[in-house]
Amino acid sequence: MTKTITPKTNCSAEQFLEQCAARVVRELEQSIAAHHDKPLTEVIRYASFDGGKRVRPGLIYATASALDIDYEKVDAIACAVELIHCYSLVHDDLPAMDDDAIRRGKPSCHKAFGEAEAILGGNAMQVLAFEYLAATKQLSDIHKLRAIYLLASASGLAGMASGQIMDTRDMDGKIDLDYLEKTHRLKTGSLMASCITIPLACKDDCSASVHRALTAYAEDIGLCFQIQDDILDVLEPCATPTGRQNELNYISVVGIERTRELLTMYCERCLQHLEKLREKAKALRAITHYIATRSS
C-alpha cells in the first residue's frame, strides 16, 4: 500500500496540485480496486486515472487548509467532485454533445470503449461519487447530508447539467455576454464553486466574515478558470478540433482584448475575496494565480 500524500502549502501551486492529485488517485484506486471484477471498472479507470490537473481536488484541500480542516475529512469530498468532473467529460465528449475524439492526449472514452460503455461508465462514476460521500466515516451525518445536497445541486438542474444544455443550444448568433456568463457559471462554475462551499459547509465554527469571503470567492473562481480556458482554446487550439462548430466562448462574443480584461478582473476579485483569510488562504491564492496564468 502506498503512503498517503499530505499536500504542503509552502510550495508552488503546481507542486501542491500534484500532491493533491496523487492523494486523490490513491484514494480512488483503493476504492475501485474493490470492484475489480465489475465490467465497467476499466472504463472508470480510463476516464479518471490518466491525466488531468486535478484543480478541483486542489481547491478542496486548499479550502480545508484555509479553514483548519484535517485533510482526511475532505478526502471523500475530493474524490466525489473529481468523479463528477470526470463523468461530465466522458458525456461531454459524446457525439450528441461536443463530439470530441481526443481527451487528455488519448482517444475519448467513447472512442476507446464505444458509446454504450462510455455512457454507462459515466453514469457509474456519477453514482459512485455519492457513494463516497454517503459511506465516509470522516464526516458527521449532518455534514454528509450537506455535502450530498451541495454536490447534487452543483451537478444537476441548478448547475452543470443546465449549463451544458445552454452551451449546446443553437442560439443562431444571438449570444451576448450575459448569456455566456450565465452558461459558464452553471456549466463550469457550479462544480468548481462546490469545491469551496462543501468544505465550508462542514465547518460549523466558521466566522460570518470568512464564510462571506469564501462564498464570494467560490462564485468567481469558475469564471476565472473558464475564461483562461477559452483563451487557451483559441490561441493554442488542440490538434483535433471538436465536432461542434461555432462553440460558445468569450473570445467569439467579446473579442480577445475584452476577454483578457475580464480574466484580469475576475482574478483580482478572487484575490480580494481571499484577503480576509490572510495567510490561511496561501494555497488558494497560489491556485488562483495558477488558474489565471496556466498554459494548458
Side-chain angles (χ1 to χ4, degrees):
M1 184 181 294
T2 57
K3 183 180 178 181
T4 301
I5 301 295
T6 301
K8 308 293 185 184
T9 58
N10 59 343
C11 59
S12 69
E14 290 87 346
Q15 291 171 321
F16 182 79
L17 290 173
E18 286 174 4
Q19 293 164 11
C20 293
R23 187 179 179 103
V24 167
V25 168
R26 177 185 181 276
E27 292 287 329
L28 289 172
E29 283 178 336
Q30 289 183 345
S31 174
I32 293 172
H35 301 284
H36 65 89
D37 58 337
K38 303 300 189 296
L40 288 172
T41 300
E42 283 308 306
V43 180
I44 295 173
R45 286 181 178 277
Y46 187 89
S48 58
F49 286 177
D50 190 12
K53 293 173 283 293
R54 318 287 182 185
V55 171
R56 289 157 190 81
L59 284 169
I60 290 166
Y61 288 114
T63 303
S65 175
L67 294 171
D68 292 322
I69 298 174
D70 291 340
Y71 287 154
E72 288 77 11
K73 289 190 174 182
V74 298
D75 282 335
I77 298 169
C79 289
V81 171
E82 187 65 8
L83 282 168
I84 291 290
H85 173 58
C86 290
Y87 122 75
S88 75
L89 298 181
V90 171
H91 282 196
D92 282 359
D93 288 340
L94 290 166
M97 304 289 267
D98 290 354
D99 195 14
D100 277 329
I102 300 294
R103 169 68 63 181
R104 295 171 176 169
K106 63 181 185 180
S108 299
C109 209
H110 69 277
K111 290 292 184 181
F113 295 92
E115 289 184 41
E117 288 201 32
I119 292 169
L120 291 170
N123 292 347
M125 281 189 280
Q126 184 183 33
V127 175
L128 184 58
F130 293 100
E131 284 185 36
Y132 261 105
L133 295 177
T136 182
K137 294 179 172 59
Q138 297 295 333
L139 296 174
S140 67
D141 288 346
I142 187 63
H143 289 162
K144 286 183 189 181
L145 286 173
R146 289 174 185 173
I148 289 168
Y149 172 79
L150 287 169
L151 185 57
S153 179
S155 308
L157 289 176
M160 189 169 61
S162 289
Q164 177 66 14
I165 196 62
M166 290 178 70
D167 190 26
T168 58
R169 281 178 174 165
D170 183 1
M171 298 295 292
D172 194 26
K174 299 174 183 176
I175 296 171
D176 58 15
L177 186 58
D178 287 341
Y179 184 91
L180 184 68
E181 181 175 311
K182 184 177 181 181
T183 299
H184 289 314
R185 281 194 182 278
L186 292 170
K187 182 182 177 183
T188 302
S190 59
L191 188 62
M192 198 157 277
S194 75
C195 299
I196 291 90
T197 59
I198 296 176
L200 188 58
C202 296
K203 180 72 171 178
D204 292 328
D205 58 350
C206 180
S207 70
S209 60
V210 167
H211 194 284
R212 283 193 299 270
L214 284 175
T215 301
Y217 175 84
E219 291 173 355
D220 285 338
I221 190 61
L223 283 184
C224 188
F225 183 93
Q226 184 61 55
I227 294 169
Q228 179 64 357
D229 248 15
D230 284 0
I231 291 171
L232 293 173
D233 284 346
V234 171
L235 298 185
E236 298 181 19
C238 60
T240 305
T242 64
R244 257 194 318 134
Q245 302 300 314
N246 303 317
E247 286 194 80
L248 193 64
N249 63 68
Y250 277 85
I251 295 170
S252 66
V253 174
V254 299
I256 185 64
E257 293 307 318
R258 177 60 178 150
T259 300
R260 284 177 169 147
E261 289 173 1
L262 288 169
L263 175 62
T264 299
M265 180 190 77
Y266 280 114
C267 181
E268 289 177 350
R269 272 172 50 165
C270 286
L271 294 173
Q272 287 170 4
H273 297 322
L274 296 176
E275 286 179 1
K276 182 68 181 177
L277 286 85
R278 301 180 182 175
E279 276 304 297
K280 291 284 188 182
K282 183 177 181 179
L284 282 173
R285 220 171 269 116
I287 292 175
T288 303
H289 283 294
Y290 168 82
I291 284 172
T293 61
R294 71 193 195 283
S295 58
S296 64

